[in-house]
Amino acid sequence: ATSARNKIWSKIIKDYDYKKIFGYGPQADRHVILKPVVGKLDSGYMSNASSSFFYAFICGGYFSLFLLILLNIHALYLMFIYLRNKIYKNNNSIVIKSTFLVLIFLMIRSIFENSYSLFSLDYLLFVSSIIIFEKLLKNDKINPYKISTLHS
């Protein structure tokens, strides 16, 4: 039921050279996954990492994975701050609701697809949604980096 994702992810974990701090470079997942096994290639369904986190790790190493995790935490934090300060005040803006849905959808999708870990439409939507949240918070004079805003 995982469309061979478990096999792909375990192959990445098994074949990755853990001394490579900065990974193998762009689209390295295709090279590592399709590495010949006893003279023949694995099946054609193993064409990419099928996860933003595995893709970030294999292409950019520990540094890239760390940045992707930070980006996700930042997006969740902005969403939490905005929920805390706006949604409970009966703000029914379509922009806010659609931005929430886009971020949540893309974050869930990134677990099972490369999604916004490479430059694509997903990436543009994800970054645009984060920018929208930051601008909305700035316009409402809410500082998302000040802890005391959580208790106001």
Side-chain angles (χ1 to χ4, degrees):
T2 63
S3 303
R5 283 178 174 82
N6 290 340
K7 187 175 180 182
I8 293 168
W9 297 340
S10 55
K11 184 166 177 56
I12 289 171
I13 290 169
K14 185 179 120 231
D15 292 349
Y16 187 81
D17 178 6
Y18 289 93
K19 294 176 187 168
K20 288 195 168 285
I21 295 171
F22 296 106
Y24 291 96
Q27 297 191 350
D29 56 337
R30 284 129 175 100
H31 299 290
V32 173
I33 292 170
L34 294 175
K35 190 168 84 176
V37 179
V38 191
K40 66 179 188 178
L41 294 177
D42 277 337
S43 179
Y45 60 80
M46 295 180 77
S47 62
N48 65 59
S50 293
S51 170
S52 289
F53 298 98
F54 280 99
Y55 182 79
F57 179 62
I58 200 162
C59 295
Y62 303 102
F63 183 70
S64 181
L65 179 62
F66 176 73
L67 288 179
L68 184 66
I69 290 170
L70 269 179
L71 182 65
N72 280 291
I73 290 170
H74 180 68
L76 287 170
Y77 184 70
L78 289 174
M79 292 166 58
F80 172 75
I81 295 295
Y82 208 82
L83 269 174
R84 178 84 166 115
N85 288 288
K86 288 308 248 181
I87 299 297
Y88 293 120
K89 295 178 183 172
N90 297 324
N91 188 330
N92 294 320
S93 169
I94 191 72
V95 173
I96 295 167
K97 288 180 179 179
S98 59
T99 304
F100 259 88
L101 289 175
V102 166
L103 280 175
I104 290 170
F105 172 76
L106 291 175
M107 290 174 90
I108 292 170
R109 181 181 168 166
S110 73
I111 297 168
F112 305 104
E113 293 293 334
N114 289 353
S115 192
Y116 55 86
S117 61
L118 47 98
F119 192 78
S120 64
L121 181 59
D122 286 1
Y123 172 81
L124 295 174
L125 288 172
F126 189 78
V127 171
S128 297
S129 296
I130 288 175
I131 291 169
I132 287 170
F133 267 112
E134 288 181 342
K135 287 202 181 278
L136 289 171
L137 292 171
K138 183 180 178 185
N139 289 343
D140 290 336
K141 311 264 188 296
I142 298 169
N143 184 353
Y145 308 106
K146 185 177 176 187
I147 300 299
S148 64
T149 59
L150 296 175
H151 305 293
S152 57

